[in-house]
Amino acid sequence: MSRSPFHDVAIVGAYNTVQAKTADQPEMGLLLDSMRGAVASAGLSLGDVDGLNVTSSVQRYNSREAVALLGGNPSWTGVDIGIPAVIEAAFAISAGLADVVLIATAQASEYTDRVKTAPWTRPSNEFVECWGLYTAAEFALIARRHMHLYGTKPESLAEVASAIRSNGARNPAALHYGREVSPGDVLNSRMVADPFHLLDCAVTCEGGAGLVMTSIERARDLDVEPVYIHGGAIERQGMAYMTPPVWDRYGHSGRTAARKAFGQAGLTPADVDVAEFYDPFSFEIIRQLEAFEFCAEGEGGDFVMDGRIRIDGELPIVTNGGLMSFSHAGLAQLLQKPIAAVQQLRGELPEVLTVPGAKLALASNGGAGALFCDVLLVGTEQP
Amino acid sequence: MFIPQPICTGCQGDHLEWVESSGRGRVYSFTTVHRPPRPEFDVPYVVAIVELDEGWHMLTNLIGCEPNSVQVDMPVEVSFERMSEEITLPMFRPVG
Ligand SMILES: [Zn+2]
């Protein structure tokens, strides 16, 4: 097998700010906290950073401008968000365009009009807004079709939401720390967009996050346990929240990305110890299990039962509590999936959420309702 | 092809023309919304993907039926609903 495209790269820092319903500082403060916290977690300083990717939701502060904060030192700037930001940074390091890349992102004060749903859930697009559509309804249309085709039950969706929220209940850094949720609680919560109850849906909150990557050589000099990228791929399917989310066309969103990522790694879903799936809505877990080929089409609803996806199960998922319990802040939540995977493998999550002996973790972004789905595989050994 | 695009998304050619649909189709998927994105919408209401008889899909609202009576594959037809002086929306109703 040829050498991994990610052979020369290591993730050395991962950090989340405090996540809160309403942050106690403005977006810029959260962003600076994200930047400082991420480099500190790598044993580096901001002066070491020569590649930068900065995003903020409300101020629209970007990498080109943020370079000024670092005295103009970073020569390379990234343009993407979430998992694609990690992939492009890896290749910038491999190509010698940067040696230490900091990815940082924050959101505060975006959701102020509480009569409406959060702004990022309701794009004002033609062909969509007039029908009262927003993300919960878009993803519900995907879930409903799956339930029709395969008999997937609300109990399976509720088990997913309960498993994820139980992890968050045990994570002191989670927004919903201490809030244990049973499958019955999910089914008894008020209906939002059928088949999604309130507790089938992500929370909304504010916060920031940062990730630091560097070359293998530089990583060896640092006093931290590096995490390595084994595979990473992007899948885009067009105009989200405009095109009808038709199951036949978009239900397998992420399969191409997953096959590419596992192909790069020379691994299969059976090798994954922990899956930090993107969890905007409970059904998305069932869908990703099928799309990424952890199980056969139509079997995701059965797969999640009997404790299999719980923290002590065969395939623990969303171990930090995810979008449903940990945080769902602006663009930071996309980066928080790779961060969760890194923190899990480095043993930085609470002991009760640490999966013993975990060597390979999957992280994903996006979903069928959003017409994109990205996959990242990270591990404890150099590929 | 729907939604409209500047070129054919199959072959990237310019051979596009407007074709009138029969306005008849079936419910492909649906959701009953109880929490609206903004307060202007009265709940509950039904959002659906309708598969038209010509094979294309569109997002719409289902009207003229109880939300809990809606089923996948239910036959429906278009109903142009006048919302204001300027705005008329193509919603769908059950057939028969
Ligand atoms: Zn064509």
Side-chain angles (χ1 to χ4, degrees):
Chain A
M1 202 181 93
S2 62
R3 206 168 77 165
S4 165
F6 300 105
H7 178 77
D8 300 324
V9 182
I11 300 173
V12 289
Y15 175 77
N16 292 306
T17 69
V18 170
Q19 312 293 310
K21 193 90 192 167
T22 307
D24 62 359
Q25 53 182 333
E27 195 173 82
M28 181 56 79
L30 279 177
L31 184 62
L32 294 172
D33 184 2
S34 302
M35 294 170 70
R36 289 175 176 139
V39 293
S41 76
L44 290 163
S45 71
L46 286 174
D48 295 313
V49 173
D50 67 350
L52 189 64
N53 182 337
V54 156
T55 44
S56 71
S57 297
V58 177
Q59 294 196 1
R60 307 267 164 191
Y61 196 54
N62 64 45
S63 309
R64 294 185 193 198
E65 295 162 352
V67 159
L69 294 176
L70 305 184
N73 183 35
S75 56
W76 179 84
T77 53
V79 294
D80 222 319
I81 55 174
I83 286 171
V86 175
I87 294 171
E88 69 173 358
F91 294 143
I93 292 166
S94 292
L97 302 180
D99 192 36
V100 175
V101 175
L102 166 62
I103 305 170
T105 170
Q107 181 270 118
S109 306
E110 187 174 11
Y111 188 12
T112 50
D113 181 359
R114 297 274 169 167
V115 177
K116 301 172 184 171
T117 58
W120 58 87
T121 70
R122 43 182 173 87
S124 58
N125 294 332
E126 191 181 9
F127 307 114
V128 169
E129 192 181 30
C130 58
W131 311 123
L133 267 157
Y134 64 116
T135 50
E138 294 260 357
F139 280 82
L141 290 168
I142 286 281
R144 166 72 60 202
R145 184 71 188 178
H146 191 274
M147 294 167 95
H148 170 75
L149 289 173
Y150 303 111
T152 312
K153 295 183 176 68
E155 287 75 13
S156 290
L157 277 62
E159 169 61 14
V160 169
S162 170
I164 294 171
R165 289 172 178 280
S166 294
N167 293 343
R170 299 180 217 177
N171 182 0
L175 187 73
H176 284 187
Y177 174 55
R179 286 168 65 172
E180 188 67 46
V181 172
S182 71
D185 294 336
V186 178
L187 293 170
N188 289 328
S189 61
R190 67 182 163 82
M191 198 61 94
V192 170
D194 182 12
F196 295 149
H197 301 79
L198 181 67
L199 296 178
D200 284 300
C201 306
V203 299
T204 58
C205 68
E206 302 182 350
L211 195 76
V212 180
M213 300 163 61
T214 189
S215 60
I216 289 286
E217 292 80 45
R218 186 70 174 266
R220 287 197 187 105
D221 298 335
L222 300 175
D223 191 25
V224 295
E225 206 59 52
V227 168
Y228 304 94
I229 302 173
H230 287 250
I234 296 166
E235 188 168 334
R236 303 286 130 133
Q237 294 174 301
M239 302 165 89
Y241 310 120
M242 292 181 76
T243 315
V246 173
W247 170 266
D248 295 2
R249 209 169 302 146
Y250 306 113
H252 306 104
S253 183
R255 176 163 294 173
T256 300
R259 285 182 177 175
K260 284 180 183 171
F262 281 113
Q264 290 163 344
L267 298 169
T268 71
D271 296 309
V272 173
D273 298 312
V274 181
E276 302 296 342
F277 289 132
Y278 196 66
D279 58 326
F281 303 99
S282 54
F283 174 73
E284 266 300 304
I285 303 303
I286 292 169
R287 194 197 68 77
Q288 287 171 73
L289 285 164
E290 297 177 13
F292 302 165
E293 299 173 291
F294 283 84
C295 66
E297 174 124 358
E299 291 179 3
D302 289 337
F303 186 97
V304 299
M305 301 306 284
D306 305 322
R308 189 183 254 157
I309 58 169
R310 292 195 176 248
I311 196 70
D312 55 354
E314 183 187 318
L315 180 66
I317 65 157
V318 196
T319 57
N320 70 342
L323 275 53
M324 292 202 180
S325 181
F326 173 71
S327 176
H328 183 211
L331 304 171
Q333 42 97 8
L334 295 165
L335 191 63
Q336 281 167 338
K337 288 300 174 185
I339 288 173
V342 168
Q343 291 185 331
Q344 173 61 246
L345 294 179
R346 297 215 304 198
E348 293 172 357
L349 290 177
E351 200 178 342
V352 66
L353 296 174
T354 300
V355 178
K359 288 188 168 61
L360 185 75
L362 177 147
S364 59
N365 281 171
L371 272 59
F372 81 95
C373 193
D374 307 322
V375 176
L376 190 75
L377 295 170
V378 295
T380 54
E381 287 159 24
Q382 185 182 7
Chain B
M1 188 171 85
F2 191 81
I3 57 175
Q5 297 284 1
I7 58 170
C8 169
T9 56
C11 73
Q12 289 69 52
D14 292 315
H15 59 90
L16 298 178
E17 55 179 336
W18 290 101
V19 179
E20 193 168 324
S21 166
S22 66
R24 286 176 163 267
R26 287 173 183 276
V27 172
Y28 178 87
S29 190
F30 69 95
T31 176
T32 304
V33 177
H34 298 265
R35 162 59 156 138
R38 45 177 73 237
E40 291 83 353
F41 292 92
D42 293 327
V43 292
Y45 56 91
V46 181
V47 175
I49 299 173
V50 168
E51 181 173 297
L52 280 296
D53 285 352
E54 299 83 8
W56 58 285
H57 298 87
M58 74 172 282
L59 289 163
T60 187
N61 290 136
L62 290 189
I63 55 171
C65 55
E66 285 298 315
N68 59 16
S69 71
V70 178
Q71 302 212 328
V72 172
D73 287 340
M74 193 170 87
V76 291
E77 65 184 355
V78 73
S79 176
F80 291 96
E81 297 296 313
R82 195 170 166 85
M83 312 304 287
S84 72
E85 285 286 300
E86 289 99 31
I87 298 172
T88 298
L89 293 175
M91 297 183 175
F92 283 74
R93 293 174 179 276
V95 173

Coordinates of all heavy atoms in Angstrom, one line a residue, chain A residues 42-78:
Chain A
A42 N -1.6 22.3 23.3 CA -0.5 21.6 22.5 C 0.9 21.9 23.1 O 1.9 21.5 22.5 CB -0.6 22.1 21.0
G43 N 0.9 22.7 24.1 CA 2.2 23.1 24.6 C 2.9 24.1 23.7 O 4.2 24.2 23.7
L44 N 2.2 24.9 23.0 CA 2.7 25.9 22.1 C 2.2 27.3 22.5 O 1.4 27.4 23.4 CB 2.3 25.6 20.7 CG 2.9 24.3 20.0 CD1 2.1 23.9 18.8 CD2 4.3 24.6 19.6
S45 N 2.7 28.3 21.8 CA 2.2 29.7 22.1 C 1.7 30.2 20.7 O 2.0 29.7 19.6 CB 3.3 30.6 22.6 OG 4.2 30.8 21.7
L46 N 1.0 31.3 20.8 CA 0.4 31.9 19.5 C 1.5 32.3 18.6 O 1.4 32.3 17.4 CB -0.5 33.1 19.9 CG -1.9 32.6 20.4 CD1 -2.7 33.9 20.9 CD2 -2.7 31.8 19.4
G47 N 2.7 32.6 19.2 CA 3.8 33.0 18.3 C 4.4 31.9 17.5 O 5.1 32.1 16.5
D48 N 4.0 30.6 17.8 CA 4.5 29.5 17.0 C 3.6 29.3 15.8 O 3.9 28.5 14.9 CB 4.4 28.2 17.8 CG 5.4 28.3 19.0 OD1 6.6 28.6 18.8 OD2 5.0 28.0 20.1
V49 N 2.4 29.9 15.7 CA 1.4 29.6 14.7 C 1.9 30.3 13.4 O 2.0 31.5 13.3 CB 0.0 30.1 15.1 CG1 -1.0 30.0 14.0 CG2 -0.4 29.4 16.3
D50 N 2.0 29.5 12.3 CA 2.3 30.1 11.0 C 1.3 29.7 9.9 O 1.4 30.0 8.8 CB 3.7 29.8 10.5 CG 3.9 28.3 10.2 OD1 3.0 27.5 10.6 OD2 5.0 27.9 9.7
G51 N 0.2 29.1 10.4 CA -1.0 28.8 9.5 C -2.2 29.0 10.3 O -2.3 28.6 11.5
L52 N -3.2 29.8 9.8 CA -4.3 30.2 10.6 C -5.7 30.0 9.9 O -5.8 30.3 8.7 CB -4.2 31.6 11.0 CG -5.1 32.2 12.0 CD1 -5.0 31.5 13.4 CD2 -4.9 33.7 12.2
N53 N -6.6 29.5 10.6 CA -8.0 29.4 10.1 C -9.0 29.9 11.2 O -9.2 29.2 12.2 CB -8.3 28.0 9.6 CG -9.7 27.9 9.0 OD1 -10.6 28.7 9.3 ND2 -9.9 26.8 8.2
V54 N -9.5 31.0 11.0 CA -10.4 31.6 12.0 C -11.8 31.9 11.4 O -11.9 32.5 10.3 CB -9.7 32.9 12.6 CG1 -10.8 33.9 13.2 CG2 -8.7 32.6 13.6
T55 N -12.8 31.6 12.2 CA -14.2 31.9 11.7 C -15.0 32.4 13.0 O -14.8 31.8 14.0 CB -14.9 30.7 11.1 OG1 -14.7 29.6 11.9 CG2 -14.5 30.5 9.7
S56 N -15.8 33.4 12.8 CA -16.7 33.8 13.8 C -18.1 34.0 13.2 O -18.1 34.6 12.1 CB -16.2 35.0 14.6 OG -16.3 36.1 13.8
S57 N -19.1 33.6 13.8 CA -20.5 33.6 13.2 C -21.1 34.9 13.0 O -21.6 35.2 11.9 CB -21.4 32.7 14.0 OG -20.9 31.4 14.0
V58 N -21.0 35.8 14.0 CA -21.8 37.0 14.0 C -20.9 38.2 13.4 O -21.3 38.9 12.5 CB -22.3 37.4 15.4 CG1 -22.9 38.8 15.3 CG2 -23.2 36.4 15.9
Q59 N -19.7 38.3 13.9 CA -18.8 39.3 13.4 C -18.2 39.0 12.1 O -17.6 39.9 11.4 CB -17.6 39.5 14.4 CG -18.1 40.0 15.8 CD -16.9 40.6 16.6 OE1 -15.8 40.6 16.1 NE2 -17.2 41.1 17.8
R60 N -18.3 37.8 11.6 CA -17.7 37.4 10.4 C -16.2 37.7 10.3 O -15.7 38.0 9.2 CB -18.5 38.0 9.2 CG -20.0 37.9 9.2 CD -20.4 36.7 8.5 NE -21.8 36.3 8.8 CZ -22.4 35.2 8.5 NH1 -21.8 34.3 7.8 NH2 -23.6 35.0 8.9
Y61 N -15.6 37.6 11.4 CA -14.1 37.8 11.5 C -13.5 36.6 10.8 O -14.0 35.5 10.9 CB -13.7 37.8 13.0 CG -12.4 38.4 13.2 CD1 -12.0 39.6 12.8 CD2 -11.5 37.6 14.0 CE1 -10.7 40.1 13.1 CE2 -10.2 38.1 14.3 CZ -9.9 39.4 13.9 OH -8.6 39.9 14.2
N62 N -12.5 36.9 10.0 CA -11.9 35.7 9.2 C -10.4 35.7 9.3 O -9.8 36.5 9.9 CB -12.4 35.8 7.7 CG -11.8 37.1 7.0 OD1 -10.7 37.4 7.2 ND2 -12.7 37.8 6.3
S63 N -9.9 34.6 8.7 CA -8.4 34.3 8.8 C -7.5 35.4 8.3 O -6.5 35.8 8.9 CB -8.1 33.0 8.1 OG -9.0 32.0 8.4
R64 N -7.9 36.0 7.2 CA -7.0 37.0 6.6 C -6.9 38.2 7.5 O -5.8 38.8 7.6 CB -7.6 37.5 5.3 CG -7.6 36.4 4.2 CD -8.1 37.0 2.9 NE -8.4 36.0 1.9 CZ -8.5 36.2 0.7 NH1 -8.4 37.4 0.2 NH2 -8.8 35.2 -0.2
E65 N -8.0 38.5 8.2 CA -8.0 39.7 9.2 C -7.3 39.2 10.4 O -6.5 40.0 11.0 CB -9.4 40.1 9.5 CG -10.1 40.7 8.3 CD -11.6 40.8 8.4 OE1 -12.2 40.2 9.4 OE2 -12.3 41.3 7.5
A66 N -7.5 38.0 10.9 CA -7.0 37.6 12.2 C -5.5 37.4 12.2 O -4.9 37.4 13.2 CB -7.7 36.3 12.6
V67 N -4.9 37.3 11.0 CA -3.5 37.2 10.9 C -2.8 38.4 11.5 O -1.7 38.3 12.1 CB -3.1 37.1 9.4 CG1 -1.6 37.5 9.1 CG2 -3.3 35.7 8.8
A68 N -3.5 39.5 11.5 CA -3.0 40.7 12.1 C -2.7 40.6 13.6 O -1.8 41.1 14.2 CB -3.9 41.9 11.9
L69 N -3.6 39.8 14.3 CA -3.5 39.5 15.7 C -2.2 38.9 16.0 O -1.6 39.0 17.1 CB -4.6 38.6 16.2 CG -6.0 39.2 16.2 CD1 -7.0 38.1 16.6 CD2 -6.2 40.4 17.1
L70 N -1.7 38.1 15.1 CA -0.4 37.3 15.3 C 0.8 38.0 14.6 O 1.7 37.4 14.2 CB -0.6 35.9 14.8 CG -1.8 35.1 15.4 CD1 -1.8 33.7 14.9 CD2 -1.8 35.2 16.9
G71 N 0.6 39.4 14.5 CA 1.7 40.2 14.0 C 2.0 39.9 12.5 O 3.1 40.1 12.0
G72 N 1.0 39.3 11.8 CA 1.3 39.0 10.4 C 2.1 37.8 10.2 O 2.5 37.5 9.1
N73 N 2.4 37.0 11.3 CA 3.3 35.9 11.2 C 2.8 34.8 10.3 O 3.5 34.2 9.4 CB 3.6 35.4 12.6 CG 4.6 34.2 12.6 OD1 5.5 34.2 11.7 ND2 4.5 33.3 13.5
P74 N 1.5 34.4 10.5 CA 1.0 33.3 9.6 C 1.0 33.6 8.1 O 0.4 34.7 7.8 CB -0.4 33.0 10.1 CG -0.5 33.6 11.5 CD 0.5 34.8 11.4
S75 N 1.6 32.8 7.3 CA 1.6 33.1 5.9 C 0.5 32.3 5.2 O 0.0 32.8 4.1 CB 2.9 32.8 5.3 OG 3.2 31.4 5.5
W76 N 0.1 31.2 5.8 CA -1.0 30.4 5.2 C -2.3 30.6 5.9 O -2.3 30.6 7.2 CB -0.6 28.9 5.2 CG -1.7 28.1 4.6 CD1 -1.9 27.8 3.3 CD2 -2.8 27.3 5.3 NE1 -3.0 26.9 3.1 CE2 -3.5 26.7 4.3 CE3 -3.1 27.2 6.6 CZ2 -4.6 25.9 4.6 CZ3 -4.2 26.5 7.0 CH2 -5.0 25.8 6.0
T77 N -3.4 30.8 5.2 CA -4.7 30.9 5.9 C -5.7 29.9 5.2 O -5.7 29.7 4.0 CB -5.3 32.3 5.8 OG1 -5.4 32.7 4.4 CG2 -4.5 33.3 6.6
G78 N -6.5 29.2 6.1 CA -7.5 28.3 5.6 C -8.8 29.0 5.3 O -9.0 30.1 5.7

